[in-house]
Amino acid sequence: MNTGTGRVADAVRDVAGDLWDWNRNILGDLEKRIKKVKKDLEACRRGGLDGASVHREHMLQCKLEKLEDQCDLYWRQRAKTHWLQYGDRNTRFF
């Protein structure tokens, strides 16, 4: 019985490590990507006004919107897991 538990614990540890890497490489990078897109969008707006720059500005706006939606979803999910794990001020009374 003890060997089965070790395998499960090892698998959980492996998954936790993979999720930590994913969070650091994908989601941790999210704020940096948002800043970069905002910087690119501002540079595009300061440039000349032609068809290519209008198209690029539109694409950057769409990309920024998508990244901000991802960031919002991430923080809503984090808040929910925090609430489920720790509760709120009202639940400690009961």
Side-chain angles (χ1 to χ4, degrees), residues 61-74:
Q61 284 175 339
C62 291
K63 188 173 184 179
L64 180 61
E65 190 174 307
K66 182 179 175 185
L67 287 171
E68 287 177 340
D69 287 344
Q70 287 177 347
C71 189
D72 182 54
L73 178 64
Y74 171 76

Side-chain angles (χ1 to χ4, degrees), residues 6-66:
R7 290 181 189 157
V8 171
D10 291 339
V12 169
R13 198 172 306 116
D14 290 342
V15 169
D18 291 343
L19 287 173
W20 185 80
D21 288 339
W22 175 74
N23 182 33
R24 187 184 58 176
N25 294 329
I26 303 298
L27 293 178
D29 191 43
L30 196 57
E31 293 294 330
K32 290 179 186 175
R33 287 189 285 165
I34 288 174
K35 284 182 182 181
K36 184 180 181 329
V37 170
K38 283 182 178 180
K39 183 179 174 183
D40 292 345
L41 185 59
E42 187 63 31
C44 183
R45 287 180 176 163
R46 289 185 179 162
L49 188 62
D50 61 347
S53 66
V54 171
H55 179 69
R56 178 166 167 73
E57 182 178 346
H58 179 69
M59 295 302 290
L60 287 170
Q61 284 175 339
C62 291
K63 188 173 184 179
L64 180 61
E65 190 174 307
K66 182 179 175 185

